[in-house]
């Protein structure tokens, strides 16, 4: 929760050389891109599998997108968990910065190139529609988490045990 | 949108004599109460009817609650629109402060007594379950709006045309 807030509130410039900083900038740009397309976005969204999605977004028709951010080749190569995320979304993307060697990214997933200010879709994701019950559970969890985080931001003195 | 943020970020004490101030305090208390019960809350949530719900909340099982805030008897007596809200929720409540003459509130709706720090349920709302398609539309709109407002709070420089 705290991390998710910190990432978007990150300072005015890039923190070069810091993997956390690169990821934070990409996350901000990805969220701006998705918001402009009508998606509501949440960072670090917990999934029932126990993992967290870097960015989860829900679109005007209820489409659920997960974007995993890769700060560099090493970050990608050490990630064995990304195929699991496809069980929780209709479309799955990686997001990387311009310096990333995009040939590393498997062809069957979507690809966004991002910086701190926005993103562009280099390759669309295949659509693998969620089963109805899973979609409902993911959407509901998203709705409550977004509202609880908003409330925690606006009313920080309130007791919050639910995030 | 701006109003919704302003309300929860309201100053440290009550603004007595101001209807806006009374309503803002009640809204904060209601949201704290609902959050403690596991509900995610949004203020001033637009409905397809063109109206706005003072507080809309979504619970752990997807239950949708609307709470209309009444700052005083005059505010209640001039409100002809509240029955419409029941078409957009499973339970409907009024929320008032301790000074409100609660006999004015119709018996068929729920009633919360609130201050800036919390609320108590004086009377439960009847449950009038939403049809499936309406529930889906309301939940989806809630999810996107909550996430877009959170993003607008965390990344205020981003272009936001969707709120």
């Amino acid at each position: 929760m705290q991390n998710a807030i910190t990432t978007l509130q990150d300072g005015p410039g890039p923190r070069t050389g810091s993997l956390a900083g690169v990821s934070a900038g990409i996350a901000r740009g990805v969220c701006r891109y998705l918001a402009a397309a009508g998606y509501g976005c949440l960072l670090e969204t917990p999934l029932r599998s126990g993992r967290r999605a870097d960015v989860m977004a829900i679109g005007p028709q209820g489409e659920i997108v997960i974007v995993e951010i890769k700060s560099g080749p090493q970050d990608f190569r050490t990630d064995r968990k990304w195929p699991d995320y496809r069980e929780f979304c209709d479309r799955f993307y990686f997001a990387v910065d311009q310096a990333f060697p995009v040939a590393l990214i498997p062809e069957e997933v979507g690809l966004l190139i991002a910086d701190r200010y926005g993103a562009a879709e280099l390759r669309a994701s295949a659509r693998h529609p969620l089963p109805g019950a899973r979609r409902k559970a993911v959407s509901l969890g998203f709705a409550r988490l977004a509202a609880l985080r908003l409330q925690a931001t606006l009313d920080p003195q309130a007791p919050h045990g639910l995030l």
Side-chain angles (χ1 to χ4, degrees), chain A residues 4-132:
Chain A
I5 288 181
T6 306
T7 300
L8 280 184
Q9 283 180 331
D10 211 350
R15 291 185 284 165
T16 49
S18 156
L19 289 187
V22 170
S23 293
I26 293 172
R28 197 180 82 152
V30 165
C31 289
R32 288 187 174 193
Y33 167 78
L34 288 167
Y39 285 74
C41 299
L42 277 183
L43 302 182
E44 299 188 42
T45 308
L47 307 173
R48 293 196 178 189
S49 66
R51 305 196 189 287
R52 285 177 171 252
D54 285 342
V55 179
M56 180 180 276
I58 189 162
Q61 305 305 320
E63 187 178 60
I64 293 165
V65 172
I66 288 180
V67 182
E68 281 300 292
I69 293 165
K70 290 299 157 199
S71 56
Q74 180 66 12
D75 187 16
F76 176 74
R77 287 196 191 99
T78 55
D79 181 1
R80 296 279 176 273
K81 65 188 190 293
W82 68 263
D84 300 347
Y85 291 121
R86 290 186 290 191
E87 294 173 28
F88 295 91
C89 60
D90 299 306
R91 296 185 197 271
F92 177 81
Y93 288 84
F94 281 110
V96 299
D97 68 13
Q98 278 195 314
F100 192 97
V102 296
L104 283 181
I105 303 286
E107 286 196 1
E108 72 264 30
V109 301
L111 184 55
L112 301 174
I113 307 294
D115 61 17
R116 291 179 54 77
Y117 303 99
E121 184 181 280
L122 203 68
R123 189 167 62 226
S125 163
R127 188 160 183 273
H128 31 80
L130 285 172

